[in-house]
Amino acid sequence: MSDSYRYELSQLGIDVVLVQPSAYPTNMYAAAQQPADGEIAKTYGAVAEVPGKILKTFVTLFQGENAPNPRDVAEAIDKIVSTPVGKRPDRVVVGLPFGSDAVNNAVNPIQRGTIDGLGLADLARLKVA
């Protein structure tokens, strides 16, 4: 959606940057719900263990020596806002990328090729007054 906004708003001089924050210690993990009926969860077999394993991985990460700091997201946004208009990146991964950086790098040339192929290359460049 943010890519669509970036193209649609570029000719109005509006920059759109997708901020992709990683996992950070927030209440989302503390409030993670567990199945009310553990017996039903067991019927799912090994798949039932996946959410718990993911939660355990993040909790361990959050308690580690190099635990991510939610302030990183605010600082990244501040840096984006401070970057001159027209020089801002399309996407900013904040924290551990968990592969999102690789996906961004793979998708970007395909997306640009599609925009160019449709004759809409101008939409990929911010119109600066």
Side-chain angles (χ1 to χ4, degrees):
M1 185 182 277
S2 63
D3 291 334
S4 294
Y5 286 153
R6 183 178 319 103
Y7 296 131
E8 289 179 28
L9 299 171
S10 67
Q11 302 309 291
L12 300 174
I14 299 172
D15 253 339
V16 175
V17 178
L18 172 61
V19 177
Q20 297 173 282
S22 186
Y24 286 90
T26 65
N27 193 39
M28 180 178 89
Y29 297 97
Q33 294 184 0
Q34 300 299 317
D37 186 342
E39 292 303 312
I40 291 176
K42 288 180 187 177
T43 65
Y44 287 93
V47 173
E49 298 174 18
V50 171
K53 288 180 179 180
I54 292 171
L55 184 62
K56 182 180 178 185
T57 298
F58 285 137
V59 168
T60 301
L61 173 69
F62 298 156
Q63 294 172 349
E65 185 177 320
N66 295 317
N69 184 342
R71 183 181 174 121
D72 296 344
V73 178
E75 290 173 353
I77 293 170
D78 180 60
K79 183 177 177 183
I80 293 166
V81 171
S82 300
T83 301
V85 173
K87 303 288 184 186
R88 296 175 182 139
D90 293 347
R91 298 174 187 85
V92 174
V93 177
V94 183
L96 296 173
F98 294 106
S100 59
D101 55 343
V103 171
N104 290 343
N105 290 335
V107 167
N108 191 47
I110 296 167
Q111 192 171 25
R112 292 298 166 122
T114 301
I115 292 297
D116 290 348
L118 292 172
L120 301 172
D122 287 346
L123 298 182
R125 290 183 291 278
L126 186 69
K127 184 175 184 178
V128 183

